[in-house]
Amino acid sequence: MDSQKLEEFKLHIENLICQQYQRIEKMKQEKDFIDYSKIDKIVIGIAGGDGIGPAITAHAEKVLRILLAEEEQEGRVCYKIINGLTLENRIKANKAIPDDVLAELKKCHVILKGPTTTPRAGDKCNIESANVAMRKELDLFANVRPVKVPQEDIDWIFYRENTEGAYALGSKGYHFDDDLCIDFTVATKEGSERIIRAAFDYAKKTGKNKVSVITKANVIKTTDGKFLEIAKQVSKDYPDVEWDDWYVDILAAKLIDKKRRTQFKVIVLPNLYGDIITDEAAEFQGGVGTAGSANIGKRYAMFEAIHGSAPRMVEEGRVKYADPCSILRAVVMMLEHIGYQDKALLLQHALDICMIYEKKEAITGREDGCTSDEFVEYLLNTLKDNNMQKKYESFVSK
Ligand code: IPM
Ligand code: MG
């Protein structure tokens, strides 16, 4: 073993631990969630991202602006277009989020973000994913991902921890030598408690009254063990909310089990398991192209599709067939988050009609499906239809 490397490693760990304690301090100071009803003008940032991102984000922005036209006119909401969140700029600045872009993001209350391309290990530029960086910089600790398949009685909502776990130091692992590499996983009391509480609060508020806590605490004993231990503590504050715990491997299996899967309601899980399981879950609903995602913190919130920037679609000239539904579902979550529940429900029902029930136009991502333009027109016509609500109810009651 190289003793100089070992010394370097010790220093590296010391730095990481100091940074984590600084983060814990910050978490402790930030107690209350922002109250949007007290804000005169809500600033909505729009960042298109890479690949199919700018195109699908433009569609979502169009729908959002139509739904909030009155509020925009009355000056209750305004938009900030943020163009610089591109892979090109990130490589140029050699930063996951260039400073000027981060400053712009911080001027917003909420952000609608298109997918951004994530450099892979071994790519020439070794920068962190813009997603992961944004979640950390804006402390967006709750990644909320609903998945619904009404015909199958599936109604899940995932509360994925978003700033810790394997992601906290995902770009700060240590490459000792050709024989040994080490990565780190982080769980803090503060960080675990706030996500678990968010899940229990949601279960209580919505009357779902059931939380499943997911770990692999039989193997990852320290950090997952902590997560589970904190869940036990937190659950005591919610006597009316039933809860259980599952290991992530068997959860992955049970989501496929038709008899068992409907018992899951609110599911809270550490970062990496949340990443994997929510892609699996979205598949039941029609794929990652159909699922929206909210990244919520106490001060900021960011809403996005759960999928990536699909560079292959760009290479193959298929951008105009890209599915905007995932980011439109994110718009539903944004509207709900900033206090426009009625408009959120309106858009949700229109999307349900167009994506699940009526399906007059189908997006396939290819020529055999409709274009995103055609789909958005169908959606807007559905929204405008005075009988939409009746139509929706008749579908649901069937
Ligand atoms: C997601 C994505 C991201 C993640 C990637 C793009 C870094 O897969 O939002 O689920 O792993 O969190
Ligand atoms: Mg993912």
Side-chain angles (χ1 to χ4, degrees):
M1 188 173 41
D2 179 335
S3 57
Q4 195 191 330
K5 270 264 167 187
L6 189 62
E7 285 312 307
E8 252 177 53
F9 182 62
K10 283 184 193 163
L11 262 178
H12 182 68
I13 298 232
E14 202 177 312
N15 272 333
L16 296 184
I17 291 181
C18 288
Q19 284 162 16
Q20 290 308 307
Y21 273 108
Q22 280 166 9
R23 197 170 63 79
I24 292 171
E25 273 318 304
K26 264 205 206 143
M27 279 193 274
K28 283 186 176 162
Q29 277 153 26
E30 232 173 84
K31 279 287 172 224
D32 296 323
F33 278 95
I34 189 168
D35 180 353
Y36 293 100
S37 67
K38 298 218 169 81
I39 291 171
D40 295 336
K41 186 181 265 189
I42 299 178
V43 183
I44 304 177
I46 311 272
D50 306 303
I52 59 167
I56 59 169
T57 310
H59 288 299
E61 180 189 344
K62 178 176 174 187
V63 174
L64 179 66
R65 280 189 190 255
I66 290 173
L67 283 167
L68 291 183
E70 215 181 292
E71 288 75 8
E72 186 181 0
Q73 217 164 32
E74 289 167 0
R76 281 184 278 145
V77 303
C78 67
Y79 299 90
K80 182 175 232 345
I81 308 299
I82 300 170
N83 285 320
L85 194 68
T86 60
L87 183 61
E88 213 183 15
N89 281 353
R90 298 203 298 280
I91 292 174
K92 217 181 331 159
N94 196 26
K95 276 202 163 160
I97 305 177
D99 292 341
D100 55 333
V101 177
L102 184 61
E104 290 292 286
L105 291 168
K106 285 189 172 172
K107 288 182 196 152
C108 307
H109 293 103
V110 291
I111 297 146
L112 183 67
K113 185 187 84 52
T116 47
T117 300
T118 304
R120 282 171 304 183
D123 279 0
K124 272 197 200 103
C125 62
N126 187 25
I127 44 178
E128 189 178 40
S129 132
N131 266 26
V132 174
M134 198 183 297
R135 292 165 186 167
K136 286 183 195 166
E137 287 287 352
L138 306 182
D139 201 19
L140 309 173
F141 66 88
N143 194 325
V144 184
R145 299 182 162 181
V147 168
K148 274 193 203 146
V149 188
Q151 313 88 307
E152 306 258 342
D153 209 17
I154 290 177
D155 186 2
W156 301 322
I157 186 151
F158 295 88
Y159 273 71
R160 164 186 175 190
E161 201 292 317
N162 215 20
T163 52
E164 307 200 332
Y167 283 65
L169 302 172
S171 306
K172 306 237 169 87
Y174 203 76
H175 191 116
F176 247 87
D177 54 26
D178 274 354
D179 291 323
L180 179 64
C181 292
I182 294 187
D183 264 316
F184 307 97
T185 295
V186 176
T188 66
K189 174 171 180 286
E190 205 70 28
S192 308
E193 190 174 332
R194 63 186 185 173
I195 185 70
I196 293 166
R197 231 172 242 294
F200 274 86
D201 278 340
Y202 179 82
K204 184 176 168 182
K205 185 179 82 189
T206 53
K208 289 186 188 266
N209 281 335
K210 169 83 191 289
V211 176
S212 300
V213 178
I214 311 305
T215 66
K216 184 73 187 171
N218 51 342
V219 176
I220 315 296
K221 292 195 159 62
T222 313
T223 44
D224 279 7
K226 180 89 177 159
F227 197 85
L228 186 54
E229 186 50 42
I230 290 175
K232 279 184 196 151
Q233 301 293 335
V234 169
S235 71
K236 291 185 188 144
D237 295 339
Y238 300 84
D240 296 332
V241 178
E242 186 196 331
W243 80 285
D244 54 12
D245 81 281
W246 293 76
Y247 296 135
V248 64
D249 48 350
I250 192 68
L251 173 78
K254 287 300 156 200
L255 291 187
I256 301 172
D257 180 341
K258 286 195 173 166
K259 281 195 235 87
R260 302 296 295 278
R261 67 183 175 200
T262 53
Q263 70 171 290
F264 296 110
K265 306 279 181 235
V266 182
I267 300 147
V268 63
L269 54 176
N271 211 338
L272 184 58
Y273 310 146
D275 178 47
I276 298 165
I277 292 290
T278 53
D279 270 17
E280 182 196 352
E283 207 56 33
F284 295 106
Q285 181 183 270
V288 289
T290 63
S293 166
N295 297 262
I296 311 238
K298 293 197 173 164
R299 164 69 180 81
Y300 299 101
M302 180 266 278
F303 300 82
E304 61 180 346
I306 79 164
H307 56 75
S309 59
R312 198 171 309 146
M313 287 194 81
V314 182
E315 273 158 36
E316 292 172 7
R318 291 188 283 122
V319 175
K320 64 177 185 188
Y321 299 106
D323 193 342
C325 290
S326 181
I327 193 156
L328 284 163
R329 291 281 185 195
V331 171
V332 172
M333 300 178 87
M334 174 190 275
L335 288 167
E336 205 178 322
H337 187 72
I338 58 177
Y340 294 110
Q341 272 79 10
D342 292 357
K343 305 207 175 192
L345 212 58
L346 214 61
L347 179 56
Q348 185 186 314
H349 288 173
L351 282 167
D352 285 351
I353 291 174
C354 299
M355 290 166 67
I356 303 173
Y357 298 113
E358 191 181 62
K359 289 204 243 179
K360 268 199 212 150
E361 299 271 10
I363 291 232
T364 62
R366 299 181 177 273
E367 262 168 49
D368 59 354
C370 69
T371 63
S372 340
D373 274 333
E374 284 159 353
F375 184 85
V376 171
E377 199 184 309
Y378 170 37
L379 180 75
L380 290 173
N381 286 335
T382 305
L383 270 169
K384 270 187 240 149
D385 183 348
N386 289 332
N387 286 322
M388 184 187 93
Q389 209 48 37
K390 269 204 200 120
K391 206 183 210 177
Y392 176 77
E393 275 149 28
S394 78
F395 281 126
V396 174
S397 63
K398 265 181 213 154

